[in-house]
Amino acid sequence: MATTARAAAGVVLVLAALLALAGAEDPYLFFEWKVTYGTKTLLGAPQKVILINGEFPGPRINCSSNNNIVVNVFNQLDQPLLFHWNGMQHRKNSWMDGLPGTNCPIVPGTNFTYKWQPKDQIGTFFYFPSIGMQRAAGGYGAITVVSRLLIPVPFDPPPPESDHVVLIGDWYTKDHEAMARMLDAGKGLGRPEGVVINGVAGPAAPSSPPMFTFEAGRTYRFRVCNTGLKASLNFRIQGHDMRLVEMEGSHTVQDMYDSLDVHVGHCLSVLVDADQKPGDYYLVASTRFIHDARSASAVIRYAGSSTPPSPDVPEPPAGYAWSINQWRSFRWNLTASAARPNPQGSYHYGQINITRTIKLMVSRGHIDGKLKYGFNGVSHRDTETPLKLAEYFNVTEGVFSYNQMGDVPPAVNGPLHVVPNVITAEFRTFIEIIFENPEKSMDSLHVNGYAFFGVGMGPGKWSPELRKTYNLLDAVSRHTIQVYPRSWSAIMLTFDNAGMWNIRSNIWERHYLGEQLYMSIISPARSLRDEYNMPENALRCGKVVGLPLPPSYAPAR
């Protein structure tokens, strides 16, 4: 009897331990960043760049799905600072989105601690400073989120030997403050002067030290993001094919490519087999769709090689048709075990009824002789009191008004209205958004707080009949989509993430000049089940300084 009792007690203790473990918080990862200016010689001239802990690009955040990420940012610049975590959905937590519409800036000489989770996310993302034109000075870095150990990754064994980050982007030699002044004065930025790969500019010399090293017979993962301001880039590795395996948080059907277009703000992952004759090879990024193309390259060296890379580097493809056809080849891997979009089941998106269609046409015009961009005749401007704080404290009067832009463009293009552009959407509704770009240059659109399904694109103007061309089965779930000149792109998503979320152009000149808006999603339940209260450490500015906290959202049930 005593033995049975002891055995039962042991079972109870084991069960209690397992329950405690099951209820434990996800692991925490802590980072401390000191953000300063520094000088780097890029494209032959020294210039001011933004460093994080003395690094450019900044430190990589390497984590697992659902980890708690804590980043204590010390602003040692002479300007206000915010960091935006591009592609992180911040479920129920737009408080950590790091844009002027959601957060008060970190003023010089102070610090602020971000805390967020890549909740039910995996994949390749990046962060960058989001105020003004600071992004043009660097301050960006990679975010890589791997699956939990219990979730199999859909790669053939053995796993990749190494996991490399490749941050590519166009580069300007102008100071970022001078660039802002140019835009404020009504001037454009012009073409970029070059391209950088992981903070190194220009073509590599055959004798350059390798950026990456291969062991013959092994497989390597490259996570590629376009962190630039304006130019789409073509990415390729001399003599090697690439197997596409992931795109902005979704595993893809693993097709092979000899080069890939990566548009501004977009990220993807490829696997590369070291199956060529040992030697040195160039990894190359070249601008697309702009005159006077620019390229950068880096050396990949097979271990023990003394053979310089061949000067015969493949040229990037030409024209838009090739790029559009490549986009149409991308498919979501529906059999992979991984995080799925919220709510569960929405990956059957083609079977969900559309409740609302929002058509966003890019607007361009001049106000007092200065160029502005916007959507549907409204050009966004930021406010002293962040939009989210004004909404939360119920002091929106004098800060912004909702829905000053309609769901369809005006029939006649009139003058642009410059106001804080905030529209509303009903919580948990399934919405179709059409982006239409009548301009002669590329656009790239991003939706914060969500993954969406990029279901279609094509030339000219969109019409309802074009829904027949949509991919309603396996479009990749992601957060960015390109819109070609004088063309349209269509996305679908469920607005189930309560908060204040930015929809914007990734072309930072357009973004700075007003091609953005905020989407306010409010849960009718006002429940902690749907959205967190404002964090205790949230910075205050503008009209909310000194105000008492609003009542807490209701407890989750």
Side-chain angles (χ1 to χ4, degrees), residues 156-489:
D156 293 333
E161 179 72 14
S162 298
D163 188 316
H164 298 301
V165 165
V166 185
L167 301 180
I168 58 177
D170 57 17
W171 192 260
Y172 290 78
T173 56
K174 304 177 187 73
D175 180 272
H176 72 280
E177 295 174 81
M179 295 171 79
R181 289 193 295 269
M182 288 174 63
L183 294 174
D184 292 340
K187 300 176 182 177
L189 296 181
R191 298 176 192 139
E193 280 83 22
V195 175
V196 296
I197 301 175
N198 288 350
V200 179
S207 58
S208 297
M211 188 173 287
F212 306 104
T213 301
F214 279 0
E215 293 279 351
R218 304 292 176 85
T219 298
Y220 296 85
R221 181 172 186 169
F222 287 84
R223 298 176 181 265
V224 186
C225 293
N226 185 337
T227 57
L229 302 183
K230 191 170 190 174
S232 298
L233 298 174
N234 182 263
F235 174 78
R236 55 207 184 275
I237 298 176
Q238 186 181 38
H240 293 73
D241 289 331
M242 302 178 289
R243 189 182 347 150
L244 183 68
V245 295
E246 177 260 333
M247 189 174 288
E248 294 167 16
S250 292
H251 293 303
T252 60
V253 172
Q254 296 182 14
D255 289 330
M256 301 297 290
Y257 298 89
D258 56 12
S259 73
L260 286 158
D261 276 356
V262 189
H263 306 282
V264 180
H266 297 213
C267 294
L268 52 83
S269 292
V270 295
L271 296 184
V272 179
D273 294 327
D275 58 0
Q276 298 301 302
K277 181 180 178 181
D280 287 4
Y281 296 85
Y282 285 126
L283 176 153
V284 187
S286 304
T287 57
R288 293 272 275 136
F289 318 129
I290 61 175
H291 296 295
D292 195 17
R294 305 293 193 198
S295 289
S297 58
V299 172
I300 294 175
R301 176 166 297 163
Y302 278 68
S305 165
S306 59
T307 304
S310 166
D312 184 19
V313 179
E315 291 294 319
Y320 294 104
W322 184 95
S323 188
I324 294 172
N325 287 333
Q326 182 174 85
W327 175 83
R328 288 178 176 145
S329 74
F330 299 150
R331 292 290 184 269
W332 199 18
N333 186 341
L334 298 179
T335 64
S337 297
R340 291 290 189 188
N342 286 293
Q344 291 296 318
S346 67
Y347 48 91
H348 297 301
Y349 63 93
Q351 302 170 25
I352 304 174
N353 291 328
I354 298 168
T355 59
R356 178 182 174 189
T357 296
I358 303 173
K359 185 177 179 182
L360 297 176
M361 186 175 76
V362 175
S363 302
R364 178 171 62 92
H366 288 81
I367 298 176
D368 298 328
K370 298 177 182 178
L371 180 63
K372 290 287 184 183
Y373 280 90
F375 291 117
N376 294 1
V378 178
S379 180
H380 174 79
R381 66 169 175 83
D382 290 322
T383 54
E384 182 184 0
T385 305
L387 307 169
K388 178 60 180 172
L389 293 183
E391 181 179 76
Y392 187 70
F393 283 87
N394 196 26
V395 291
T396 58
E397 186 174 352
V399 179
F400 73 91
S401 298
Y402 293 104
N403 298 316
Q404 298 200 57
M405 183 200 77
D407 282 3
V408 295
V412 178
N413 286 331
L416 280 171
H417 300 284
V418 181
V419 294
N421 194 3
V422 184
I423 65 175
T424 59
E426 187 179 347
F427 187 53
R428 290 181 177 163
T429 51
F430 190 67
I431 293 179
E432 173 190 48
I433 300 178
I434 312 299
F435 296 110
E436 207 167 88
N437 177 26
E439 297 295 303
K440 297 178 182 178
S441 58
M442 284 287 296
D443 207 349
S444 169
L445 280 301
H446 174 90
V447 179
N448 282 8
Y450 293 92
F452 57 67
F453 300 98
V455 293
M457 63 175 59
K461 295 189 176 220
W462 179 87
S463 63
E465 294 77 23
L466 290 167
R467 291 187 180 120
K468 297 175 184 176
T469 69
Y470 285 2
N471 175 0
L472 296 179
L473 176 63
D474 57 359
V476 178
S477 172
R478 55 188 305 185
H479 56 75
T480 58
I481 193 166
Q482 71 269 28
V483 192
Y484 294 91
R486 295 171 175 167
S487 298
W488 60 270
S489 295

Side-chain angles (χ1 to χ4, degrees), residues 489-508:
S489 295
I491 67 173
M492 293 177 173
L493 70 159
T494 300
F495 278 98
D496 67 313
N497 191 13
M500 182 76 72
W501 304 107
N502 190 241
I503 299 177
R504 66 169 181 272
S505 174
N506 285 320
I507 311 302
W508 215 243

Side-chain angles (χ1 to χ4, degrees), residues 91-163:
R91 302 296 302 177
K92 308 194 296 184
N93 193 23
S94 64
W95 304 108
M96 292 293 150
D97 206 31
L99 288 172
T102 53
N103 296 97
C104 295
I106 309 167
V107 299
T110 67
N111 70 298
F112 175 73
T113 301
Y114 292 93
K115 180 181 179 297
W116 49 269
Q117 283 183 290
K119 186 70 175 173
D120 296 328
Q121 289 187 261
I122 56 96
T124 305
F125 313 93
F126 67 97
Y127 60 83
F128 62 87
S130 63
I131 292 179
M133 291 300 295
Q134 289 175 351
R135 178 172 172 174
Y140 55 75
I143 305 171
T144 57
V145 188
V146 300
S147 299
R148 301 188 199 196
L149 292 177
L150 294 176
I151 299 177
V153 178
F155 304 162
D156 293 333
E161 179 72 14
S162 298
D163 188 316

